Amino acid sequence: AKGLRALLDRDSGYRIPWQELPAVPVAGVEAGDRQDPVETLFIRVNQAGTRLEGEELIYSVLKSIWTDAPELIDRMGHQLAQPSRLVILCSRLVLADHDSDKSPPNPPDVGRFRRLIFGRDSGNERFAAALRQFVEKDGYRVFESARELLTGGRYGLPVVLAMDLAQKSPSVMLLLLRWIVRMQASGLEPLETNDSGRQRLLGFLTALGWFAQNKDQAVAAVWQRLHGATDQELPGFFSRSSFGQTLALGRGGSFRMIPVVPPDVLEKAMRNMVTAPQGGGYGGFGNLDPNFWTNWNWFQWVAGRLTEDLKRWYPQTMRAHWTAIAIESNDEEVDLGSRCQDAWTVFIDNLWGNRNLLLFAQRRWLARWFPDYDPSQPDQVEDTNRPWDFDHIHPQRYLRSQNGNSLRNIPRIVREWHGSIGNLRAWPLELYRADSDCAPGIKLGGEGQDAQVIEAGYGLAEDHYKKTASFIGNDWDNWEKSVPAGKPAHNYLADANHGAQRQALVRAITARFVALYREWYQTLSIGSLMPRGK
């Protein structure tokens, strides 16, 4: 480096661009490990640009010693996951053949992956050969089966939700992949699973991916069951019995999987907590008394309390799965009540902003609008690069003043619900830019701003298609009545004289909130997985 610098510092007519690589150790290399010089150079060149860490660095280690890996891995994971995540999933599948059968193998860190790939990990000396064989021989079939099970058929997920499982819930994806590997090893074809079987499979996986409080522990709870399943038991693995194991409490009474409440029970809870509560010194939702609209808050009225229906449903459904903590406390009623309240709080807080349910409800329109969309491509990973955005059906501008500041005197109940999934829709960017600030009656009633030609290209030329694509059904009247006729003042929601519009807006949002959840719960037959109430 000194000689090169001296040469370049000479006063000559030549200008040669160059970059000196920092003399720092390669991230993740442990003391005493032998470093392959090609690998070291490969990784340092990459580090000179964007710093590589974790999975990306592991992928770089693999590419440095196996030049064909990128092409094979890209082909294997089409529309399912990024290459770096695929390498980790493949590694865990290979390790699953040798590690303990009691729990899924942990994802290797950089140090362990180097030991594995160079044959210096005790008990896994042939890891590199096994990984290469899996990727070259079996991997494509396994991942192609996973992609078809997740996105194909009448119950299939949008590709963006399939990839979401792989990227944000890798243990859940690993469970599916391991099941496929076991099925194929037993001479069984995963893709021959019938419709009801696919319902339960998708319901099982999405429930864990979207509602489990600890996904790793939830998967670990059924891993040994999968490992020990016979050839006859494997096709029906995603069952009520298996799901029940994920619902059992962990150490210290911690939740693995959160119980998912039936839609009818949720709907009654929303009525009792939001659109029909009485008493408490607040008047009630049906009364335009400003005390209710001033004092209502999310925790006191929703997340922090149980209705009578919920108080009955949780013990009847979950008592057997929560027995251990009740026995430890020697006070079943008090302890069970605490578990019920905690479970509801976690569940409803999760549900409030769960955009996965929104995309699931709009899955057919997303597939129609963007049939070639591949979220696994590098330029599509961030939400901002997707061909749609999340649009507030009742626009945010009514919660802000004309200079963009938040408006005072808008009731908290309105502000709380306004940001929930009940007021959001996934909408093509072209259309979003055209009418994102319009009132619901204009967005969905046919008076869009210069958008009619664009709407026709998305199959939305007729008004009822706009409502259907936005997942709005019988609650349309409330959406239409949520904004005063004409050109209302920017701050109309801050005016108590517009109490009728406040009520209509909250009814519209909460009704759609329940409908989105119901669509997922019923379509994927979640009730067939949850324990039967007693």
Side-chain angles (χ1 to χ4, degrees), residues 116-297:
L116 286 165
I117 210 70
F118 288 113
R120 294 194 293 274
D121 190 78
S122 179
N124 292 292
E125 290 79 4
R126 292 189 52 78
F127 172 85
L131 179 63
R132 180 185 289 266
Q133 181 179 8
F134 177 79
V135 172
E136 291 180 340
K137 182 181 177 183
D138 303 319
Y140 179 80
R141 184 182 172 207
V142 170
F143 279 88
E144 190 66 12
S145 293
R147 188 180 66 83
E148 174 59 25
L149 285 169
L150 291 173
T151 65
R154 53 189 297 202
Y155 303 111
L157 305 176
V159 292
V160 66
L161 290 183
M163 180 173 169
D164 184 82
L165 278 177
Q167 293 296 128
K168 297 180 182 178
S169 308
S171 292
V172 178
M173 178 62 75
L174 183 68
L175 182 68
L176 171 62
L177 295 171
R178 184 60 179 167
W179 176 78
I180 292 171
V181 169
R182 285 229 50 213
M183 287 278 287
Q184 292 176 348
S186 299
L188 302 170
E189 176 50 66
L191 298 183
E192 291 180 359
T193 304
N194 60 26
D195 281 350
S196 61
R198 288 200 179 197
Q199 271 184 305
R200 289 191 297 273
L201 181 148
L202 287 172
F204 195 112
L205 298 174
T206 54
L208 263 59
W210 301 349
F211 287 97
Q213 189 169 35
N214 190 315
K215 299 170 189 177
D216 292 340
Q217 288 186 13
V219 170
V222 294
W223 189 262
Q224 190 171 6
R225 181 189 186 97
L226 174 58
H227 182 86
T230 65
D231 291 356
Q232 291 73 32
E233 293 169 337
L234 276 171
F237 170 76
F238 295 101
S239 62
R240 189 192 305 271
S241 179
S242 294
F243 195 73
Q245 289 187 287
T246 72
L247 290 165
L249 295 173
R251 292 180 180 178
S254 62
F255 293 115
R256 295 165 176 158
M257 176 62 197
I258 293 296
V260 282
V261 176
D264 289 346
V265 176
L266 176 66
E267 185 175 32
K268 290 179 182 177
M270 290 299 98
R271 283 202 301 267
N272 292 330
M273 294 173 167
V274 186
T275 57
Q278 302 292 330
Y282 298 132
F285 183 90
N287 187 335
L288 297 182
D289 181 346
N291 286 332
F292 170 83
W293 297 89
T294 300
N295 292 290
W296 188 97
N297 68 80

Side-chain angles (χ1 to χ4, degrees), residues 476-533:
W476 163 241
D477 285 348
N478 281 316
W479 287 107
E480 192 172 27
K481 294 174 182 177
S482 67
V483 178
K487 295 184 178 180
H490 228 70
N491 62 341
Y492 82 91
L493 287 167
D495 186 351
N497 291 322
H498 287 295
Q501 283 76 34
R502 291 175 174 177
Q503 290 174 321
L505 178 59
V506 174
R507 287 194 184 101
I509 293 174
T510 53
R512 187 168 176 273
F513 178 82
V514 173
L516 289 167
Y517 178 74
R518 187 188 300 276
E519 173 69 11
W520 166 74
Y521 191 100
Q522 292 185 343
T523 300
L524 298 186
S525 193
I526 305 301
S528 69
L529 296 172
M530 283 294 294
R532 293 186 177 92

